[in-house]
mmCIF file of all heavy atoms in Angstrom:
data_model
loop_
_atom_site.group_PDB
_atom_site.id
_atom_site.type_symbol
_atom_site.label_atom_id
_atom_site.label_comp_id
_atom_site.label_asym_id
_atom_site.label_seq_id
_atom_site.Cartn_x
_atom_site.Cartn_y
_atom_site.Cartn_z
ATOM 1 N N CYS A 144 34.778 133.238 78.993
ATOM 2 C CA CYS A 144 33.915 132.069 78.950
ATOM 3 C C CYS A 144 33.055 132.102 80.106
ATOM 4 O O CYS A 144 33.331 132.144 81.297
ATOM 5 C CB CYS A 144 34.739 130.751 79.002
ATOM 6 S SG CYS A 144 33.734 129.232 79.195
ATOM 7 N N ALA A 145 31.653 132.243 79.793
ATOM 8 C CA ALA A 145 30.577 132.272 80.763
ATOM 9 C C ALA A 145 29.825 131.017 80.906
ATOM 10 O O ALA A 145 29.427 130.433 79.851
ATOM 11 C CB ALA A 145 29.675 133.479 80.411
ATOM 12 N N ALA A 146 29.857 130.498 82.148
ATOM 13 C CA ALA A 146 29.061 129.228 82.268
ATOM 14 C C ALA A 146 27.653 129.519 82.770
ATOM 15 O O ALA A 146 27.367 130.392 83.636
ATOM 16 C CB ALA A 146 29.852 128.403 83.329
ATOM 17 N N SER A 147 26.866 128.657 82.236
ATOM 18 C CA SER A 147 25.371 128.678 82.925
ATOM 19 C C SER A 147 24.881 127.211 83.048
ATOM 20 O O SER A 147 25.451 126.355 82.516
ATOM 21 C CB SER A 147 24.497 129.474 81.827
ATOM 22 O OG SER A 147 24.457 128.818 80.546
ATOM 23 N N GLY A 148 23.600 127.116 83.603
ATOM 24 C CA GLY A 148 23.102 125.906 83.887
ATOM 25 C C GLY A 148 23.434 125.461 85.233
ATOM 26 O O GLY A 148 23.410 126.275 86.227
ATOM 27 N N PHE A 149 23.877 124.056 85.473
ATOM 28 C CA PHE A 149 24.124 123.568 86.712
ATOM 29 C C PHE A 149 25.518 123.839 87.260
ATOM 30 O O PHE A 149 26.433 122.970 87.404
ATOM 31 C CB PHE A 149 23.989 122.066 86.786
ATOM 32 C CG PHE A 149 23.735 121.460 88.016
ATOM 33 C CD1 PHE A 149 22.899 121.944 89.028
ATOM 34 C CD2 PHE A 149 24.539 120.249 88.329
ATOM 35 C CE1 PHE A 149 22.778 121.310 90.135
ATOM 36 C CE2 PHE A 149 24.413 119.727 89.690
ATOM 37 C CZ PHE A 149 23.499 120.234 90.552
ATOM 38 N N VAL A 150 25.846 125.280 87.457
ATOM 39 C CA VAL A 150 27.186 125.692 87.597
ATOM 40 C C VAL A 150 27.695 125.335 88.993
ATOM 41 O O VAL A 150 28.940 125.424 89.271
ATOM 42 C CB VAL A 150 27.319 127.219 87.390
ATOM 43 C CG1 VAL A 150 27.083 127.534 85.919
ATOM 44 C CG2 VAL A 150 26.304 128.104 88.166
ATOM 45 N N VAL A 151 26.723 125.062 90.051
ATOM 46 C CA VAL A 151 27.244 124.862 91.438
ATOM 47 C C VAL A 151 28.095 123.625 91.547
ATOM 48 O O VAL A 151 28.838 123.440 92.426
ATOM 49 C CB VAL A 151 26.087 124.725 92.319
ATOM 50 C CG1 VAL A 151 25.290 126.019 92.379
ATOM 51 C CG2 VAL A 151 25.101 123.632 91.911
ATOM 52 N N SER A 152 28.100 122.789 90.469
ATOM 53 C CA SER A 152 28.679 121.488 90.516
ATOM 54 C C SER A 152 30.079 121.563 89.859
ATOM 55 O O SER A 152 30.889 120.567 89.975
ATOM 56 C CB SER A 152 27.868 120.321 89.764
ATOM 57 O OG SER A 152 27.753 120.734 88.514
ATOM 58 N N ILE A 153 30.408 122.749 89.246
ATOM 59 C CA ILE A 153 31.668 122.821 88.659
ATOM 60 C C ILE A 153 32.790 122.890 89.680
ATOM 61 O O ILE A 153 32.698 123.765 90.629
ATOM 62 C CB ILE A 153 31.710 124.120 87.702
ATOM 63 C CG1 ILE A 153 30.705 123.986 86.598
ATOM 64 C CG2 ILE A 153 33.153 124.293 87.196
ATOM 65 C CD1 ILE A 153 30.622 125.321 85.799
ATOM 66 N N ASN A 154 33.847 122.128 89.418
ATOM 67 C CA ASN A 154 35.013 122.144 90.425
ATOM 68 C C ASN A 154 36.322 122.653 89.687
ATOM 69 O O ASN A 154 37.216 122.839 90.448
ATOM 70 C CB ASN A 154 35.297 120.809 91.015
ATOM 71 C CG ASN A 154 35.359 119.741 90.013
ATOM 72 O OD1 ASN A 154 36.064 119.784 89.111
ATOM 73 N ND2 ASN A 154 34.685 118.564 90.322
ATOM 74 N N ALA A 155 36.255 122.805 88.347
ATOM 75 C CA ALA A 155 37.506 123.444 87.820
ATOM 76 C C ALA A 155 37.029 124.023 86.418
ATOM 77 O O ALA A 155 36.065 123.429 85.688
ATOM 78 C CB ALA A 155 38.636 122.466 87.523
ATOM 79 N N MET A 156 37.692 125.159 86.096
ATOM 80 C CA MET A 156 37.428 125.713 84.672
ATOM 81 C C MET A 156 38.763 126.215 84.117
ATOM 82 O O MET A 156 39.682 126.520 84.868
ATOM 83 C CB MET A 156 36.457 126.995 84.767
ATOM 84 C CG MET A 156 35.014 126.557 85.139
ATOM 85 S SD MET A 156 34.126 128.009 85.098
ATOM 86 C CE MET A 156 34.011 128.353 83.335
ATOM 87 N N GLY A 157 38.772 126.162 82.742
ATOM 88 C CA GLY A 157 40.031 126.565 82.238
ATOM 89 C C GLY A 157 39.917 126.583 80.597
ATOM 90 O O GLY A 157 38.881 126.534 80.123
ATOM 91 N N TRP A 158 41.169 126.431 80.081
ATOM 92 C CA TRP A 158 41.180 126.505 78.562
ATOM 93 C C TRP A 158 42.057 125.425 77.970
ATOM 94 O O TRP A 158 43.239 125.082 78.585
ATOM 95 C CB TRP A 158 41.716 127.773 78.174
ATOM 96 C CG TRP A 158 40.865 128.995 78.552
ATOM 97 C CD1 TRP A 158 40.804 129.627 79.785
ATOM 98 C CD2 TRP A 158 39.841 129.584 77.764
ATOM 99 N NE1 TRP A 158 39.842 130.498 79.849
ATOM 100 C CE2 TRP A 158 39.212 130.542 78.585
ATOM 101 C CE3 TRP A 158 39.343 129.437 76.564
ATOM 102 C CZ2 TRP A 158 38.173 131.361 78.104
ATOM 103 C CZ3 TRP A 158 38.194 130.206 76.008
ATOM 104 C CH2 TRP A 158 37.698 131.022 76.880
ATOM 105 N N TYR A 159 41.687 124.873 76.757
ATOM 106 C CA TYR A 159 42.469 124.139 76.000
ATOM 107 C C TYR A 159 42.667 124.655 74.557
ATOM 108 O O TYR A 159 41.877 125.712 74.390
ATOM 109 C CB TYR A 159 41.795 122.753 75.847
ATOM 110 C CG TYR A 159 41.946 121.862 77.062
ATOM 111 C CD1 TYR A 159 41.215 122.214 78.188
ATOM 112 C CD2 TYR A 159 42.711 120.683 77.097
ATOM 113 C CE1 TYR A 159 41.192 121.356 79.297
ATOM 114 C CE2 TYR A 159 42.751 119.929 78.232
ATOM 115 C CZ TYR A 159 42.013 120.207 79.334
ATOM 116 O OH TYR A 159 42.084 119.555 80.416
ATOM 117 N N ARG A 160 43.497 124.196 73.763
ATOM 118 C CA ARG A 160 43.553 124.726 72.358
ATOM 119 C C ARG A 160 43.900 123.680 71.397
ATOM 120 O O ARG A 160 44.398 122.605 71.827
ATOM 121 C CB ARG A 160 44.623 125.761 72.326
ATOM 122 C CG ARG A 160 45.951 125.367 72.388
ATOM 123 C CD ARG A 160 46.886 126.544 72.403
ATOM 124 N NE ARG A 160 48.372 126.157 72.281
ATOM 125 C CZ ARG A 160 49.480 126.945 72.358
ATOM 126 N NH1 ARG A 160 49.222 128.315 72.485
ATOM 127 N NH2 ARG A 160 50.580 126.468 72.192
ATOM 128 N N GLN A 161 43.549 123.861 70.182
ATOM 129 C CA GLN A 161 43.800 122.804 69.134
ATOM 130 C C GLN A 161 44.253 123.565 67.913
ATOM 131 O O GLN A 161 43.452 124.323 67.226
ATOM 132 C CB GLN A 161 42.524 121.971 68.831
ATOM 133 C CG GLN A 161 42.858 120.793 67.904
ATOM 134 C CD GLN A 161 41.670 119.890 67.972
ATOM 135 O OE1 GLN A 161 40.633 120.120 68.436
ATOM 136 N NE2 GLN A 161 42.005 118.678 67.371
ATOM 137 N N ALA A 162 45.506 123.367 67.434
ATOM 138 C CA ALA A 162 46.023 123.927 66.239
ATOM 139 C C ALA A 162 45.715 122.953 65.116
ATOM 140 O O ALA A 162 45.496 121.720 65.250
ATOM 141 C CB ALA A 162 47.556 124.118 66.367
ATOM 142 N N PRO A 163 45.725 123.470 63.889
ATOM 143 C CA PRO A 163 45.447 122.481 62.610
ATOM 144 C C PRO A 163 46.341 121.352 62.616
ATOM 145 O O PRO A 163 47.700 121.599 62.774
ATOM 146 C CB PRO A 163 45.635 123.579 61.494
ATOM 147 C CG PRO A 163 45.455 124.935 62.048
ATOM 148 C CD PRO A 163 45.870 124.878 63.447
ATOM 149 N N GLY A 164 45.805 120.183 62.502
ATOM 150 C CA GLY A 164 46.622 118.986 62.358
ATOM 151 C C GLY A 164 47.185 118.514 63.521
ATOM 152 O O GLY A 164 47.928 117.495 63.707
ATOM 153 N N LYS A 165 46.839 119.156 64.690
ATOM 154 C CA LYS A 165 47.400 118.737 66.181
ATOM 155 C C LYS A 165 46.302 118.326 67.060
ATOM 156 O O LYS A 165 45.175 118.620 66.890
ATOM 157 C CB LYS A 165 48.222 119.868 66.762
ATOM 158 C CG LYS A 165 49.428 120.200 65.846
ATOM 159 C CD LYS A 165 50.246 121.089 66.663
ATOM 160 C CE LYS A 165 51.566 121.397 65.966
ATOM 161 N NZ LYS A 165 52.439 122.419 66.619
ATOM 162 N N GLU A 166 46.639 117.634 68.081
ATOM 163 C CA GLU A 166 45.469 117.209 69.163
ATOM 164 C C GLU A 166 45.370 118.427 70.060
ATOM 165 O O GLU A 166 46.146 119.327 70.181
ATOM 166 C CB GLU A 166 46.056 116.036 69.904
ATOM 167 C CG GLU A 166 46.299 114.741 69.065
ATOM 168 C CD GLU A 166 46.643 113.620 70.054
ATOM 169 O OE1 GLU A 166 46.971 113.807 71.159
ATOM 170 O OE2 GLU A 166 46.674 112.411 69.480
ATOM 171 N N ARG A 167 44.099 118.328 70.636
ATOM 172 C CA ARG A 167 43.829 119.376 71.691
ATOM 173 C C ARG A 167 44.757 119.208 72.787
ATOM 174 O O ARG A 167 45.082 118.038 73.314
ATOM 175 C CB ARG A 167 42.301 119.162 72.119
ATOM 176 C CG ARG A 167 41.834 120.317 72.942
ATOM 177 C CD ARG A 167 40.336 120.126 73.115
ATOM 178 N NE ARG A 167 39.568 120.153 71.817
ATOM 179 C CZ ARG A 167 38.194 120.191 71.834
ATOM 180 N NH1 ARG A 167 37.518 120.173 72.820
ATOM 181 N NH2 ARG A 167 37.642 120.191 70.608
ATOM 182 N N GLU A 168 45.247 120.358 73.291
ATOM 183 C CA GLU A 168 46.093 120.451 74.382
ATOM 184 C C GLU A 168 45.776 121.366 75.445
ATOM 185 O O GLU A 168 45.094 122.322 75.316
ATOM 186 C CB GLU A 168 47.509 120.696 73.935
ATOM 187 C CG GLU A 168 47.698 122.077 73.282
ATOM 188 C CD GLU A 168 49.101 122.349 72.776
ATOM 189 O OE1 GLU A 168 50.005 121.659 73.205
ATOM 190 O OE2 GLU A 168 49.208 123.446 72.244
ATOM 191 N N LEU A 169 46.200 121.053 76.751
ATOM 192 C CA LEU A 169 45.803 121.918 77.861
ATOM 193 C C LEU A 169 46.705 123.193 77.708
ATOM 194 O O LEU A 169 47.681 123.309 77.353
ATOM 195 C CB LEU A 169 46.252 121.264 79.168
ATOM 196 C CG LEU A 169 46.239 122.062 80.458
ATOM 197 C CD1 LEU A 169 44.794 122.378 80.887
ATOM 198 C CD2 LEU A 169 47.027 121.418 81.494
ATOM 199 N N VAL A 170 45.857 124.372 77.874
ATOM 200 C CA VAL A 170 46.513 125.610 78.162
ATOM 201 C C VAL A 170 46.796 125.916 79.633
ATOM 202 O O VAL A 170 47.827 125.979 80.110
ATOM 203 C CB VAL A 170 45.745 126.745 77.449
ATOM 204 C CG1 VAL A 170 46.362 128.067 77.765
ATOM 205 C CG2 VAL A 170 45.485 126.472 76.019
ATOM 206 N N GLU A 171 45.695 126.061 80.276
ATOM 207 C CA GLU A 171 45.706 126.319 81.749
ATOM 208 C C GLU A 171 44.343 126.146 82.335
ATOM 209 O O GLU A 171 43.355 126.299 81.764
ATOM 210 C CB GLU A 171 46.172 127.773 82.019
ATOM 211 C CG GLU A 171 46.422 128.106 83.394
ATOM 212 C CD GLU A 171 47.114 129.472 83.522
ATOM 213 O OE1 GLU A 171 47.564 130.006 82.525
ATOM 214 O OE2 GLU A 171 47.495 129.780 84.677
ATOM 215 N N ILE A 172 44.299 125.603 83.535
ATOM 216 C CA ILE A 172 43.027 125.191 84.151
ATOM 217 C C ILE A 172 43.191 125.596 85.684
ATOM 218 O O ILE A 172 44.296 125.305 86.304
ATOM 219 C CB ILE A 172 42.516 123.799 83.908
ATOM 220 C CG1 ILE A 172 41.060 123.584 84.273
ATOM 221 C CG2 ILE A 172 43.583 122.798 84.645
ATOM 222 C CD1 ILE A 172 40.507 122.329 83.711
ATOM 223 N N SER A 173 42.119 125.951 86.307
ATOM 224 C CA SER A 173 42.162 126.385 87.722
ATOM 225 C C SER A 173 40.962 125.620 88.443
ATOM 226 O O SER A 173 39.835 125.688 88.053
ATOM 227 C CB SER A 173 41.931 127.977 87.859
ATOM 228 O OG SER A 173 41.797 128.380 89.158
ATOM 229 N N SER A 174 41.390 125.120 89.548
ATOM 230 C CA SER A 174 40.311 124.484 90.319
ATOM 231 C C SER A 174 39.644 125.506 91.315
ATOM 232 O O SER A 174 40.087 126.578 91.588
ATOM 233 C CB SER A 174 40.873 123.297 91.211
ATOM 234 O OG SER A 174 41.658 123.777 92.250
ATOM 235 N N ASN A 175 38.489 125.143 91.947
ATOM 236 C CA ASN A 175 37.890 125.904 92.862
ATOM 237 C C ASN A 175 38.686 126.097 94.081
ATOM 238 O O ASN A 175 38.590 127.124 94.784
ATOM 239 C CB ASN A 175 36.563 125.320 93.200
ATOM 240 C CG ASN A 175 35.493 125.395 92.182
ATOM 241 O OD1 ASN A 175 35.715 125.922 91.074
ATOM 242 N ND2 ASN A 175 34.223 124.748 92.351
ATOM 243 N N GLY A 176 39.518 125.205 94.350
ATOM 244 C CA GLY A 176 40.510 125.302 95.461
ATOM 245 C C GLY A 176 41.809 126.165 95.148
ATOM 246 O O GLY A 176 42.568 126.340 96.082
ATOM 247 N N GLY A 177 41.794 126.744 94.010
ATOM 248 C CA GLY A 177 42.904 127.680 93.702
ATOM 249 C C GLY A 177 44.072 127.130 93.126
ATOM 250 O O GLY A 177 45.106 127.753 92.975
ATOM 251 N N ILE A 178 44.045 125.782 92.863
ATOM 252 C CA ILE A 178 45.094 125.091 92.139
ATOM 253 C C ILE A 178 45.203 125.243 90.661
ATOM 254 O O ILE A 178 44.132 124.906 90.147
ATOM 255 C CB ILE A 178 45.184 123.601 92.555
ATOM 256 C CG1 ILE A 178 45.302 123.423 94.110
ATOM 257 C CG2 ILE A 178 46.338 122.911 91.844
ATOM 258 C CD1 ILE A 178 45.128 121.955 94.532
ATOM 259 N N THR A 179 46.175 125.738 90.195
ATOM 260 C CA THR A 179 46.305 126.093 88.662
ATOM 261 C C THR A 179 47.355 125.058 88.044
ATOM 262 O O THR A 179 48.399 124.980 88.609
ATOM 263 C CB THR A 179 46.732 127.462 88.504
ATOM 264 O OG1 THR A 179 45.809 128.443 89.016
ATOM 265 C CG2 THR A 179 46.786 127.787 86.991
#
């Protein structure tokens, strides 16, 4: 996943997923401070 635009303001990046018939759920996310 490549970010562009106003990227200096991003403080966390990660991934979610959504299976058919289910709600979107967190997979994993990492903050700029290294907290996962």
Side-chain angles (χ1 to χ4, degrees):
C144 173
S147 60
F149 195 50
V150 297
V151 295
S152 63
I153 294 173
N154 53 43
M156 290 187 73
W158 296 87
Y159 287 70
R160 72 184 188 183
Q161 188 167 16
K165 295 187 177 181
E166 294 185 353
R167 191 172 298 187
E168 61 180 351
L169 171 71
V170 177
E171 192 163 354
I172 193 162
S173 173
S174 73
N175 290 356
I178 298 173
T179 300

